[in-house]
Amino acid sequence: MLLRPLIVVIFLCLSLTLVSCSKKKGTDEEVLARVGQFEVTKTHYMNELRRFYDRTGQAVNLSPDVMQSVLDTRVNRYTVVEYAFDKKWHLEPEAQYQKAMIERKVNMEEYERRFIQENVVITDGTLRELFFRFNTSLRASHLYAPNRHEADSLHALLLQGASFESLAAKVFRNEELARSGGDLGYFTVDDMDISFEDMAYRMEVGDISSPVKTSRGYSIIKLTDIVTTPVITESQYASKKHELGVIARQQQSELATRNHMSEVIGSFNADMDLLRQLWDSIQQNPVAYYGFQPEAGMLSLPIPSEMTDNALFSRDGYAFTVSDFLREAHYTPFNRRMLADNFQTFREQAEGMAFRHFALFRVKSHPNYNELYVQRTIEETFYNYLHEIFDHYIDGQVEIPEEALVAEYQQNSEFYYEPLRLNLAEILLTSSDRADEAWEKLESGRDFNQVLLQYTIDPAARTTFGELGMMPIERFGIIAPYLADVKPGGIAGPFQLMSNRYVIFRCLDRIEPRPLSYEEAIPQMREVLHTGAKEHLRLQIIQEARKTFNAIVYTERLRSIPIQL
């Protein structure tokens, strides 16, 4: 599929924006552009123009040149898709596998939207609770288990009197977690898995939860501290209400989806003997389950033919058969399948596959299911995949010769240097008041490590004294300019990282910026030159393809559109 690498000259970058596209359907007077089997209608163009206008903060002047550029971007997108079709990339086994995965993902999202998220209601009480949580930091420890069986066993030991700390020492390989009793330090909203977070905020200090299913397994939570901002005003709540609404909708939808999935799986009748037979077959033929064969269409486990129609899970006229399992397992990412290292974990994987199959079976029966919309979404997403293939293809065509690197260094060596690097220690705090207190003590001459031990909310920092290690200054983002002049022994801060996170730094060491030698600069120069060369080649191929696929842009029709955004 790839051609011999080309050596191309270096030009300035011009990125191509991926946008939605549609196949021919407009009348002639509505069509602004055509390329191959695709066309841009006025409606589609105006939708993209609105998105472009919003992305730029509504600050861009919609001049004729800007409007032409937006149209050209759409035409270029269609051109790349036609180019991919011409190369037959869409017919390759990997591409067909990806399209099937996309179809499942889009329909699962449609199922969640129609059967779950439409029923989520956000009240003022929901927003006030979230606002309270944003102004509250929790400290907790946890015990981790990869599956429900092991989590239930740990919970039973706790009920029988085993100490949380002794169990943590057994379950964690991480020395710090094992030593500290599974201590996770302080956290707030969006720091943890949403199910973990939601449970923790419902607990009191000293409480120990039942096993909580998270995206990574199960956790048993022990809440050890709660720190709340002393004063929360009504005006503060009002100023954050819109932002809170967006976050609340995302969180409640995710929680509702997880709860719904748990309820559906709980309603299944499982054939445990059949599940164990499948697990035995996988252990005897691991490559068949843990491998990846995109062209197969289903797993190739050696299952007796009389078993394939037997139901692994069933409920109310619905059945998930062995044959269904072989197909759904094939469309489960193989890195997830690799996590099934015992029967209990395998069972939970099979339950997840059964839920997905059930949802895909059910979604098309919803009265608001829009098959045309879903199909277009699948196609659009697949076109994005083809753009990725095109991008990799272009990558393979670019080669940077030695003489280009030499010329770049001779002309632009001042741009290639090792940036300032800092080794900082940090004190992490949860409120501006605490940050000000700690800062005042540091300014009065108190030892940094003493203040850190008194104020930091990071338990690991008590053993490392908050040392972050040597890092380039760019890693500190918007704080970087304020750290550029700090010298070893100096302090900087307090800086607010988020609504309830503050940090104070002490400089332990710094390494000044220095110019790179030619050999040292080669990786950076190669990246810079490759980027420019790749973009030039991309534009060259697209321009040639536009001719091949008879791209037509109706400029006069574009100019006649009245802009009312």
Side-chain angles (χ1 to χ4, degrees):
M1 183 176 70
L2 300 181
L3 302 177
R4 178 177 58 84
L6 304 175
I7 299 175
V8 295
V9 296
I10 312 305
F11 273 75
L12 294 177
C13 298
L14 175 62
S15 63
L16 299 177
T17 305
L18 298 184
V19 295
S20 62
C21 52
S22 62
K23 294 185 179 180
K24 291 182 179 178
K25 68 174 184 176
T27 60
D28 281 345
E29 63 272 13
E30 294 175 329
V31 175
L32 300 181
R34 286 192 174 96
V35 56
Q37 64 180 304
F38 297 100
E39 63 184 21
V40 183
T41 66
K42 289 182 180 179
T43 300
H44 295 140
Y45 173 77
M46 289 303 298
N47 288 338
E48 175 55 24
L49 190 64
R50 289 188 186 95
R51 285 192 290 269
F52 169 78
Y53 189 58
D54 291 339
R55 286 197 304 268
T56 57
Q58 301 184 1
V60 67
N61 177 25
L62 295 179
S63 65
D65 287 343
V66 169
M67 294 179 64
Q68 182 71 51
S69 176
V70 172
L71 181 58
D72 282 339
T73 297
R74 290 180 67 85
V75 173
N76 287 346
R77 173 172 169 79
Y78 296 4
T79 302
V80 169
V81 175
E82 285 286 12
Y83 188 86
F85 287 164
D86 188 62
K87 293 284 187 181
K88 303 293 191 294
W89 294 340
H90 64 301
L91 299 179
E92 293 182 2
E94 173 70 16
Q96 290 298 300
Y97 178 84
Q98 290 297 330
K99 188 169 186 179
M101 292 283 281
I102 290 167
E103 181 176 357
R104 279 168 164 72
K105 184 176 186 298
V106 170
N107 273 298
M108 282 302 298
E109 290 173 350
E110 186 70 7
Y111 176 86
E112 292 170 8
R113 180 163 50 250
R114 299 303 184 188
F115 286 92
I116 305 171
Q117 295 170 5
E118 285 186 353
N119 299 320
V120 171
V121 178
I122 305 300
T123 65
D124 186 68
T126 306
L127 300 182
R128 289 184 180 277
E129 171 63 20
L130 182 59
F131 184 63
F132 169 78
R133 293 183 179 187
F134 262 114
N135 287 276
T136 302
S137 293
L138 306 180
R139 186 173 185 175
S141 300
H142 85 133
L143 300 175
Y144 169 77
N147 57 66
R148 183 63 191 242
H149 177 74
E150 293 184 33
D152 285 341
S153 298
L154 287 172
H155 193 246
L157 290 172
L158 288 170
L159 294 177
Q160 293 166 15
S163 74
F164 207 91
E165 291 71 23
S166 65
L167 293 178
K170 294 178 181 179
V171 302
F172 286 114
R173 295 181 181 178
N174 180 287
E175 292 183 4
E176 178 61 27
L177 287 171
R179 183 194 61 78
S180 67
D183 183 26
L184 297 169
Y186 287 86
F187 59 89
T188 186
V189 175
D190 275 353
D191 286 345
M192 296 292 184
D193 176 273
I194 181 59
S195 296
F196 186 108
E197 173 191 310
D198 188 62
M199 174 60 75
Y201 273 103
R202 297 176 186 275
M203 297 167 64
E204 300 292 337
V205 172
D207 286 353
I208 296 177
S209 75
S210 299
V212 177
K213 183 172 177 55
T214 70
S215 60
R216 299 177 62 87
Y218 290 82
S219 284
I220 299 173
I221 306 167
K222 179 180 179 181
L223 193 67
T224 56
D225 195 15
I226 299 175
V227 178
T228 302
T229 301
V231 178
I232 304 174
T233 66
E234 191 68 21
S235 62
Q236 288 174 320
Y237 169 68
S239 68
K240 296 288 186 180
K241 195 168 184 179
H242 176 73
E243 178 184 346
L244 290 168
V246 175
I247 298 172
R249 172 67 60 179
Q250 293 172 343
Q251 289 194 339
Q252 293 302 312
S253 294
E254 177 64 23
L255 285 171
T257 298
R258 293 187 184 191
N259 291 336
H260 175 83
M261 180 177 178
S262 179
E263 290 173 5
V264 171
I265 290 175
S267 72
F268 286 152
N269 298 309
D271 187 330
M272 298 301 295
D273 291 336
L274 193 54
L275 272 171
R276 288 194 178 276
Q277 288 182 55
L278 275 177
W279 177 240
D280 290 342
S281 180
I282 289 170
Q283 290 181 297
Q284 295 167 15
N285 303 275
V287 174
Y289 189 70
Y290 301 119
F292 178 55
Q293 296 177 311
E295 69 282 357
M298 62 192 307
L299 293 189
S300 57
L301 278 173
I303 303 296
S305 58
E306 62 270 18
M307 285 177 53
T308 57
D309 291 333
N310 293 351
L312 283 168
F313 301 99
S314 60
R315 56 161 276 183
D316 302 332
Y318 165 78
F320 181 69
T321 67
V322 172
S323 180
D324 295 327
F325 164 80
L326 295 176
R327 188 173 297 104
E328 288 305 317
H330 175 70
Y331 290 110
T332 298
F334 73 96
N335 58 333
R336 290 190 186 178
R337 282 180 262 149
M338 290 292 292
L339 298 176
D341 56 0
N342 57 56
F343 173 72
Q344 297 298 333
T345 308
F346 167 71
R347 174 188 172 180
E348 291 185 11
Q349 280 193 3
E351 288 173 341
M353 294 175 198
F355 171 75
R356 183 175 66 195
H357 185 266
F358 170 79
L360 295 174
F361 167 80
R362 187 183 180 199
V363 64
K364 294 183 180 179
S365 67
H366 193 280
N368 293 328
Y369 182 80
N370 187 330
E371 186 173 1
L372 180 60
Y373 168 80
V374 170
Q375 188 56 42
R376 285 180 177 173
T377 303
I378 293 168
E379 289 179 356
E380 298 296 342
T381 309
F382 184 59
Y383 295 160
N384 289 343
Y385 169 77
L386 294 179
H387 268 260
E388 292 177 9
I389 298 298
F390 180 73
D391 188 70
H392 293 315
Y393 171 78
I394 299 297
D395 260 330
Q397 307 308 299
V398 176
E399 183 177 286
I400 306 300
E402 177 72 20
E403 54 267 28
L405 294 171
V406 172
E408 173 66 14
Y409 191 76
Q410 290 174 345
Q411 296 171 17
N412 299 305
S413 59
E414 69 274 14
F415 296 122
Y416 299 99
Y417 62 90
E418 185 160 309
L420 170 66
R421 291 188 295 160
L422 298 172
N423 184 10
L424 302 178
E426 69 171 3
I427 302 174
L428 197 61
L429 310 107
T430 57
S431 72
S432 60
D433 290 340
R434 295 279 288 174
D436 289 340
E437 288 177 22
W439 182 257
E440 288 175 5
K441 291 186 177 182
L442 290 170
E443 285 196 315
S444 68
R446 184 76 65 86
D447 179 72
F448 184 88
N449 289 342
Q450 290 181 357
V451 175
L452 180 146
L453 291 173
Q454 180 180 355
Y455 284 91
T456 187
I457 63 169
D458 181 5
R462 300 179 184 279
T463 57
T464 64
F465 290 104
E467 184 172 353
L468 300 176
M470 197 66 73
M471 295 190 296
I473 192 169
E474 289 85 354
R475 291 277 297 276
F476 295 94
I478 61 174
I479 300 175
Y482 302 99
L483 300 175
D485 296 326
V486 65
K487 304 297 182 185
I491 57 175
F495 302 108
Q496 184 174 3
L497 304 180
M498 56 183 71
S499 61
N500 60 351
R501 283 291 187 273
Y502 296 79
V503 65
I504 297 172
F505 293 111
R506 178 174 184 263
C507 182
L508 303 178
D509 194 10
R510 65 181 279 147
I511 299 176
E512 300 297 333
R514 65 173 182 86
L516 296 178
S517 67
Y518 172 77
E519 292 297 330
E520 292 172 325
I522 284 177
Q524 289 185 29
M525 292 192 297
R526 191 176 296 280
E527 181 178 356
V528 169
L529 297 180
H530 183 92
T531 299
K534 176 182 174 181
E535 196 55 45
H536 170 68
L537 181 58
R538 178 200 302 273
L539 293 175
Q540 177 183 327
I541 291 177
I542 288 176
Q543 289 304 314
E544 292 173 356
R546 284 176 67 142
K547 296 177 183 177
T548 300
F549 301 118
N550 301 315
I552 302 173
V553 176
Y554 300 101
T555 304
E556 293 303 319
R557 294 178 188 174
L558 174 65
R559 292 176 179 172
S560 69
I561 297 177
I563 303 301
Q564 295 179 346
L565 297 181

